[in-house]
Amino acid sequence: MHLVLGIESSCDETACAVLEDGRNVRASLLFSQVKTHAEFGGVVPEVASRMHLAKLPPLIDETLSRAGIQLGDISAVAVTRAPGLIGALLVGLSYAKALAWQLGIPLVGVNHLEGHMLAARLEDPQPEFPYIALIVSGGHTAIYRIERPGSYHILGNTRDDAAGEAFDKVAKLLGLGYPGGILIDRLSQKGNREAINFPRSMLHKGGYDFSFSGLKTAVLLHIRQYEPKEADLPDLCASFQEAVVDVLLEKALRAVADQGIPRLIISGGVAANSRLRALAAERCQASGVGLFMARPAFCTDNAAMIAYAGWEKLARGQRDGLDLGAKANESLF
Ligand code: KG4
Ligand code: ZN
């Protein structure tokens, strides 16, 4: 039995997981710092680092106990080493190094995005390679062609805001609080998505790039002009959400058709969005495309996806030394 301990601390979630034989998630736990950062309207890097430092050791103990194993049973440690907040990354990375050294087991550093790209492989049925991946999170919105673990090609990217960032900024404009994605998702369920025809940026341009800053401005102008009341928010949210989701799926399905790969995975925090999930299922079914989405808890930041990406690297014979550094940015291509 091969047990990989995964550690994730790139932003505001302290996460830990145990993955058995690259397939069975024995435990995946998370301590969310969201409430603390909400007071400031966004993530405060120094506060995030300090909270990771306090929360990671007890979280690892709890994860091992839920997995029904002891520290000595772990075969390898996989840890997020990039991209993210440098101080936050360093906490997880230093802890992972210390564990690997103490236990005399392999250490492997993982790119956080690689975790999101492979997360759907934790589910059943597992998407076969190659597949197209739409990664939509707070920091990234891009379309990739995933050849196999370790071989990734970027097809399109956002030119300004990430989709999750657009959700968070619009929620802020509406005074809904932070993080906004889930709040907009909830309010939208009672709204009419055709109430306001917000722009679909870059929809009719070729290629797979996105732009969300114009949409954010359109929402701002709408608020200034119509001064919406609380009762108007569901329609406004549903219409904004529809504009984001429509463009994301249109471009992802364009990539699927052009590349001739009838398998789409969607991952990252925004993949937890209920409208994105429903419309993706509808459109993929209509066009004969296999849709693979991890459960929402494996779409938002988590350590199970990091353990899995690490397991794939270990299976390819990759190991990292104790000199492995954290990186705020790292290219996968
Ligand atoms: O992947 P993630 O957990 O962290 C990053 O790597 O960024 O993504 C967080 C983003 C936030 O912008 C959050 O508002 C968004 O995902 N998000 C959602 C939903 N749940 C989380 N956006 C739309 N609808 C949701 N249900
Ligand atoms: Zn993420």
Side-chain angles (χ1 to χ4, degrees):
M1 191 165 51
H2 194 269
L3 296 168
V4 177
L5 181 77
I7 297 177
E8 154 67 36
S9 70
S10 64
C11 191
D12 59 346
E13 324 270 20
T14 316
C16 184
V18 172
L19 179 68
E20 179 186 334
D21 297 334
R23 198 72 189 98
N24 176 22
V25 181
R26 293 271 292 251
S28 178
L29 299 190
L30 179 141
F31 173 80
S32 174
Q33 307 177 2
V34 136
K35 277 195 186 134
T36 306
H37 297 292
E39 282 177 44
F40 304 96
V43 180
V44 183
E46 183 60 26
V47 173
S49 311
R50 286 167 193 267
M51 289 193 85
H52 286 309
L53 203 55
K55 298 294 177 185
L56 188 56
L59 191 73
I60 290 179
D61 289 347
E62 174 77 20
T63 308
L64 294 174
S65 132
R66 292 274 186 100
I69 62 168
Q70 314 225 318
L71 206 51
D73 297 327
I74 301 169
S75 321
V77 186
V79 61
T80 307
R81 58 90 56 131
L85 302 170
I86 197 74
L89 286 165
L90 274 170
V91 175
L93 181 60
S94 307
Y95 208 94
K97 284 183 188 176
L99 274 179
W101 177 77
Q102 179 200 352
L103 299 168
I105 56 175
L107 167 79
V108 67
V110 170
N111 181 296
H112 179 87
L113 277 180
E114 209 178 347
H116 281 308
M117 286 173 184
L118 298 174
R121 301 246 321 153
L122 287 167
E123 302 292 359
D124 212 5
Q126 217 180 19
E128 293 296 324
F129 296 109
Y131 55 72
I132 301 297
L134 169 67
I135 307 297
V136 270
S137 72
H140 301 271
T141 294
I143 299 177
Y144 304 90
R145 178 186 166 117
I146 314 291
E147 221 58 63
R148 58 183 172 278
S151 177
Y152 314 112
H153 307 278
I154 187 156
L155 301 174
N157 207 344
T158 180
R159 299 205 178 166
D160 39 59
D161 292 348
E165 199 179 349
F167 270 97
D168 295 340
K169 286 179 176 170
V170 164
K172 208 169 188 174
L173 288 176
L174 297 173
L176 298 178
Y178 170 87
I182 183 117
L183 302 169
I184 289 187
D185 190 349
R186 266 190 222 138
L187 271 174
S188 298
Q189 282 164 21
K190 292 173 274 170
N192 171 9
R193 29 184 198 262
E194 286 163 18
I196 307 157
N197 189 17
F198 283 124
R200 268 71 170 158
S201 305
M202 305 193 56
L203 192 59
H204 302 296
K205 288 214 177 104
Y208 316 104
D209 280 354
F210 301 101
S211 165
F212 294 105
S213 72
L215 173 59
K216 185 185 60 192
T217 308
V219 174
L220 178 66
L221 294 177
H222 180 92
I223 295 172
R224 283 202 188 138
Q225 189 173 354
Y226 297 101
E227 298 178 0
K229 308 272 175 300
E230 206 175 322
D232 303 321
L233 294 187
D235 282 359
L236 210 169
C237 287
S239 303
F240 159 76
Q241 178 174 275
E242 195 69 7
V244 177
V245 165
D246 191 17
V247 180
L248 289 175
L249 288 175
E250 188 69 32
K251 296 252 169 168
L253 286 169
R254 194 182 288 171
V256 162
D258 294 352
Q259 299 283 320
I261 298 176
R263 284 173 295 280
L264 174 67
I265 74 115
I266 310 181
S267 193
V270 182
N273 182 269
S274 61
R275 179 63 184 154
L276 178 62
R277 295 181 86 86
L279 198 61
E282 212 175 277
R283 289 196 185 169
C284 284
Q285 198 181 19
S287 44
V289 174
L291 175 67
F292 301 86
M293 296 182 83
R295 69 197 77 170
F298 290 169
C299 283
T300 46
D301 286 350
N302 67 89
M305 68 180 190
I306 302 303
Y308 177 68
W311 183 82
E312 286 285 2
K313 283 190 150 184
L314 292 159
R316 298 199 296 277
Q318 294 185 13
R319 306 277 185 278
D320 284 302
L322 293 177
D323 58 348
L324 180 69
K327 283 184 167 182
N329 292 300
E330 180 189 52
S331 173
L332 276 173
F333 317 100

